Amino acid sequence: MKGLNRAEICDVNFQEFVRGWNGHAQPRPAPGEAILDGSALDARGFRELFESQLISRHLDLMARVLRVQNKVFYTIGSSGHEGNAMVARATRHTDPAFLHYRSGGFMAERFRKLPGMDPIMDSALSFAASAEDPASGGRHKVWGSKPLWVLPQTSTIASHLPKALGTAIAIEAGKRLGTGLPVPEDSITICSFGDASANHATAQTAFNAASWTAYQKLPAPVLFVCEDNGIGISVKTPAGWIGESFRHHPDLDYFYADGLDLAAGYGDVLRAVEHCRRTRRPTFLHLRTTRIMGHAGTDFEIEWRSLEELCAVEASDPLLRSAAIALESGLMTQEEILALYEDIRRKCFSAAEEADRRPRLTTLGQVMAPLAPYTPDEVQAEAARVPALEARIKAFGGEDRLPERQPPRHLAIQINQALHDLLAKYPETLLFGEDVAQKGGVYTVTKGLYKAFGSKRVFNTLLDETTILGLAQGFANMGLLPIPEIQYLAYLHNAIDQLRGEACSLQFFSNDQFRNPMVVRIAGLGYQRGFGGHFHNDNSVTALRDIPGLVVGCPSRGDDAAMMLRTLAALARVDGRVSVFLEPIALYMTKDLYEPGDGQWLTAYPPPEQALVLGEERVYDADATDCVIFTFGNGVPMSLRAARGIEKKHGWKVRVVDLRWLVPLNHAAIAKHAGECERILIVDEGRFSAGIGEGVITAITEAGFGGKPLKRVVGADTYTPLAGAAFLVIPKDEDILAAADALA
């Protein structure tokens, strides 16, 4: 027994159990009868659930066999978790589902909700990484389906819980706004995960936010399904831990169901689902499961688990209990069960062999096609579409108060005006974050929006960036256009996986079938005077540069900010993209450029039909060719001041290029300006290592201009200290002048 493949043992165990059964069968029940006294499950329902369990099991067995032949590329299985098929049966295909990777039973059962769908072939295509996989187009083995409202997750630990909660809250928000929902108004959200994942900080964030919401009597119809198999890879969950932790969790309604026994568990699953749908409260379903055949095909449990323990786990196989129920109730004979078992095995292997013959992704273009869709003409047309005049007049409080009729203003005001315009233009837009409503944000950038658009569209959240970004994804999933605010760039880093691993990956892993468009506003960068330290002066743009598909814009002046926001909102609306709008705090209130009182950093509000092209730079003194300075954010006014000093000292005409768009960098524009000028300066207020400047140098070098005289002015590789010491670690005007001297 010890040296045998445990998958083979489980396979043989089932067949021997059925052949060796010697109990007495009851008379065969009619399709509408309960299969056991007191059971909520009728004969037809049991038969279909049992078949879904068998499909899930044989997909696992098939994967273990064909992986060694390189016909299948994923072996994390669902064996022992097949009882989650009950959750699929008790819910609807229009209930958005965010699933644990052990959800084969759930998926097989949910496929029954719509006619003409094939759980075996669709799953086989995914296992084989076929380009014809209807879930991800061959980019990953995922449980996902557009028509079945299963949003794909990859190797999920806990990062999907915040967006599942956000989607539940969004269902209710969509009802209140009256903008229309893509699912029925009484839908709930389903979110499954393992007992080990329940300990993850991201999971705890979601549980806390759900309770926080329910405590305030706000609806949040999410069904958290904890599939408790007692182990996370090789680390055991203490016995009773999940029940003890969640049974009395405030404002999280707890239900328990036996996922190893369809007859005993189905009624409890049904009660949990009905409770969540009826009360609209967050509900925790503690589903008992087990894990057989190891964590994945590479997990040889016998090396770290005793044979006695393995045998005990395998004896608790839920398929053995299902077979016993079928036999005891008279629903099926031994011959019928074994025939069904072998028929499903044949179908799974046949589908896998067929999937192996189907096309796979063979080019980089195919792989990246859904990652970052961009249709520039449509985006520009949408960005230039003007909000209704009546809506604008109402938002700004009168025709004479329209912002384009006002004198030039500073950055914070122009961002505020642009946000008013966006909320007037898009009734489905929501703006939310910490302190953004009545207070108007810590820098008053959102002042007046709460009064103009009300609490349904502008609201405060709890102090948790992970929840804020989870809410944003949920709102986007339900067809809304979220504009979340992260109060400071330094606060993003504890929650950045909600962008990297979740929001920006959805189009990629769903083959662009699902989108969660959003514009994330983040105040950041350095140079604040009298209010500083690391958490309020953070230049770590690098973390954002590494996220595939993300767009990052950074304005330095008010008119650019307004036009960039229009472009980003249009990009979200048309192409479903996720973007970050990085707002330089130190420039929020800046009015002057060269001398106190000159007012040269105030700008007029651009008419509402004006927007920028994604990647378009702003150029100062475009005819200058002696030297070019590439910069962004706070570096722009510094570079303009330094340019005067350089011209005075060296007689050079200096071109200053405000990049404006930091991700992706416009390599063609950078190369053009570098090629036209004799010397190159790069002013990057980020850190020496891995900053924007490195990307600029790469663009210059790859374009063949790396031999030109070049200097980089950049911050130090350190955290930002408090008070005046902060200005020792970031570039200053005189540093730019010194770099020019070195070039001379």
Side-chain angles (χ1 to χ4, degrees), residues 385-396 402 416-430 449 452-453 457-458 483 573 605 608:
R385 185 170 62 85
V386 178
L389 180 60
E390 296 79 7
R392 297 192 75 222
I393 290 172
K394 182 179 179 181
F396 290 108
L402 292 175
N416 178 275
Q417 309 278 35
L419 292 172
H420 274 80
D421 255 340
L422 288 181
L423 268 73
K425 181 176 181 178
Y426 300 113
E428 70 274 22
T429 298
L430 305 177
L449 289 165
F453 297 99
R457 300 186 61 195
V458 180
I483 304 180
R573 182 81 181 274
Y605 187 78

Side-chain angles (χ1 to χ4, degrees), residues 39-248:
S39 172
L41 192 59
D42 63 23
R44 177 181 174 182
F46 173 83
R47 171 79 183 229
E48 291 181 347
L49 281 172
F50 187 25
E51 184 177 347
S52 294
Q53 289 184 307
L54 294 175
I55 289 171
S56 178
R57 176 60 57 85
H58 276 300
L59 287 172
D60 285 358
L61 294 172
M62 172 274 294
R64 298 297 177 99
V65 172
L66 297 186
R67 175 65 193 95
V68 296
Q69 301 177 32
N70 276 332
K71 295 181 177 181
V72 160
F73 302 94
Y74 193 86
T75 58
I76 295 180
S78 304
S79 296
H81 283 244
E82 291 90 351
N84 56 35
M86 294 187 289
V87 180
R89 188 170 192 86
T91 54
R92 306 170 184 165
H93 78 278
T94 49
D95 292 329
F98 302 82
L99 299 179
H100 188 42
Y101 44 61
R102 303 194 193 280
S103 296
F106 181 103
M107 286 301 300
E109 185 64 24
R110 182 162 271 209
F111 269 94
R112 299 182 189 280
K113 302 287 184 177
L114 289 178
M117 301 193 73
D118 185 350
I120 294 177
M121 192 63 209
D122 281 10
S123 299
L125 289 166
S126 187
F127 276 98
S130 168
E132 296 179 3
D133 163 29
S136 76
R139 287 165 187 83
H140 204 284
K141 158 61 185 68
V142 297
W143 297 122
S145 170
K146 178 66 172 179
L148 295 176
W149 267 102
V150 178
L151 290 82
Q153 319 299 310
T154 64
S155 297
T156 306
I157 302 304
S159 55
H160 60 313
L161 272 72
K163 67 180 181 182
L165 171 63
T167 303
I169 293 173
I171 292 170
E172 299 299 316
K175 286 159 57 175
R176 291 192 298 271
L177 287 173
T179 54
L181 284 169
V183 297
E185 290 188 354
D186 66 342
S187 296
I188 65 172
T189 297
I190 304 150
C191 180
S192 61
F193 51 94
D195 49 291
S197 297
N199 301 303
H200 197 280
T202 311
Q204 292 294 323
T205 282
F207 300 141
N208 178 71
S211 297
W212 185 87
T213 303
Y215 180 76
Q216 299 177 89
K217 311 301 182 188
L218 299 173
V222 58
L223 180 69
F224 291 119
V225 184
C226 181
E227 300 184 14
D228 184 2
N229 64 24
I231 198 165
I233 303 184
S234 68
V235 179
K236 294 181 180 178
T237 298
W241 172 247
I242 296 298
E244 189 67 24
S245 298
F246 291 97
R247 189 176 289 111
H248 305 295

Side-chain angles (χ1 to χ4, degrees), residues 550-562:
L550 183 68
V551 171
V552 180
C554 180
S556 64
R557 44 188 277 174
D559 53 354
D560 283 358

Side-chain angles (χ1 to χ4, degrees), residues 348-369:
C348 287
F349 273 87
S350 176
E353 294 289 351
E354 174 61 26
D356 181 53
R357 293 189 287 271
R358 299 286 183 89
R360 292 195 171 96
L361 301 174
T362 57
T363 69
L364 178 61
Q366 290 175 334
V367 171
M368 295 184 64

Side-chain angles (χ1 to χ4, degrees), residues 55 73-74 144 210 230 253 288 298 390 397 414 422 449 460 497 528 550 559 584 622 630 637 670 678 701-702 744:
I55 289 171
F73 302 94
Y74 193 86
D253 302 340
R288 179 192 176 202
T298 54
E390 296 79 7
Q414 303 298 40
L422 288 181
L449 289 165
N460 294 323
D497 189 54
Q528 289 190 84
L550 183 68
D559 53 354
F630 293 102
I670 293 169
E678 294 181 26
T701 303
E702 290 182 345

